[in-house]
Amino acid sequence: MARCTNCNYKWSFKEVMAAGFSKDGKLCPNCGEKQYVSKTTQNIISLGSISFLLVIIFPFFIKLSDKNDGYQ
């Protein structure tokens, strides 16, 4: 679980989720230092969002055939 970079406070799941959706960072409940989601984590979240969208729209692009075209 995420920890404050200032006081090493272990954030709860709810606190981490709130920080993840905050654009301006979130104050540490223990020491009050503002914490931000790292750029690396933001990139991973973006890739996750894109892959989630692909899973949703993927079934609309599948075409079926009555012949085996050799792909196995």
Side-chain angles (χ1 to χ4, degrees):
M1 195 57 71
R3 292 187 176 269
C4 175
T5 56
N6 186 49
C7 68
N8 209 31
Y9 169 78
K10 186 176 179 181
W11 287 40
S12 70
F13 177 78
K14 186 177 179 180
E15 292 165 340
V16 171
M17 292 305 290
F21 289 105
S22 174
K23 292 182 181 179
D24 298 323
K26 188 91 169 133
L27 295 177
C28 173
N30 190 47
C31 69
E33 185 75 22
K34 194 170 257 194
Q35 301 290 299
Y36 301 91
V37 175
S38 71
K39 187 67 174 171
T40 303
T41 303
Q42 289 176 7
N43 290 339
I44 292 169
I45 291 170
S46 295
L47 289 175
S49 299
I50 291 170
S51 60
F52 180 71
L53 284 173
L54 289 176
V55 168
I56 291 174
I57 64 172
F58 185 67
F60 296 104
F61 291 101
I62 294 176
K63 292 183 181 177
L64 300 176
S65 173
D66 59 350
K67 299 176 190 164
N68 184 353
D69 293 331
Y71 181 78
Q72 295 182 0

